[in-house]
């Protein structure tokens, strides 16, 4: 049985996780493809890594969500980042290890990690 303090700590951690999944109109959206092919390729750990990294850095204005098939199965796991006023960036063959760099350079620094994008993978 957990104490009230332990339950309160769990609630606070989960509240931050839920906040990263709530939408607003001027937010940056991180969308992870979670169709069968994406899940089989490892999209769930990628989704969890984005949620955890954004919560750890206490970023606001970033929505982490999931979608179905993006239509590029050979590039799964796929993550699309849409920032208001900028072009959508599609990251392919994502791994949980790549997430911290995308968060630091793209979500915080404003510069996409080009080597992880769809354009770099098709060259």
């Amino acid at each position: 049985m957990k104490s009230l303090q332990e339950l309160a700590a769990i609630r606070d951690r989960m509240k931050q996780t839920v906040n990263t999944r709530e939408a607003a109109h001027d937010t940056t959206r991180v969308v992870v493809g979670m169709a069968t092919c994406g899940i089989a390729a490892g999209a769930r750990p990628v989704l969890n890594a984005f949620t955890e990294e954004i919560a750890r850095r206490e970023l606001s204005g970033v929505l982490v969500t999931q979608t179905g098939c993006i239509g590029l199965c050979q590039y799964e796991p796929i993550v699309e980042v849409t920032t208001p006023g900028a072009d959508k960036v599609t990251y392919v063959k994502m791994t949980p290890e790549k997430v911290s760099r995308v968060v630091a350079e793209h979500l915080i620094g404003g510069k996409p990690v080009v080597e992880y994008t769809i354009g770099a993978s098709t060259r």
Side-chain angles (χ1 to χ4, degrees), residues 28-43:
T28 295
R29 295 176 43 98
V30 177
V31 181
V32 181
M34 294 285 288
T36 304
C37 55
I39 293 169

Side-chain angles (χ1 to χ4, degrees), residues 6-39:
E6 290 172 315
L7 291 172
I10 291 169
R11 181 195 66 213
D12 291 341
R13 280 195 313 269
M14 293 310 296
K15 190 182 290 185
Q16 179 60 36
T17 300
V18 170
N19 287 341
T20 62
R21 292 180 179 235
E22 292 178 355
H25 298 295
D26 60 346
T27 61
T28 295
R29 295 176 43 98
V30 177
V31 181
V32 181
M34 294 285 288
T36 304
C37 55
I39 293 169

Side-chain angles (χ1 to χ4, degrees), residues 51-118:
T51 302
E52 291 165 7
E53 185 71 12
I54 289 166
R56 184 181 71 77
R57 292 177 180 253
E58 298 179 359
L59 298 181
S60 61
V62 179
L63 167 69
V64 178
T65 190
Q66 61 189 46
T67 191
C69 182
I70 294 176
L72 299 167
C73 300
Q74 68 270 25
Y75 297 113
E76 293 285 357
I78 297 174
V79 176
E80 295 179 336
V81 176
T82 307
T83 305
D87 292 335
K88 174 176 66 175
V89 177
T90 303
Y91 291 104
V92 296
K93 300 185 186 214
M94 283 297 296
T95 64
E97 295 76 26
K98 294 177 179 178
V99 169
S100 62
R101 183 168 174 205
V102 170
V103 170
E105 294 181 24
H106 190 165
L107 299 183
I108 296 172
K111 293 182 143 191
V113 183
V114 176
E115 65 200 68
Y116 297 166
T117 64
I118 185 82

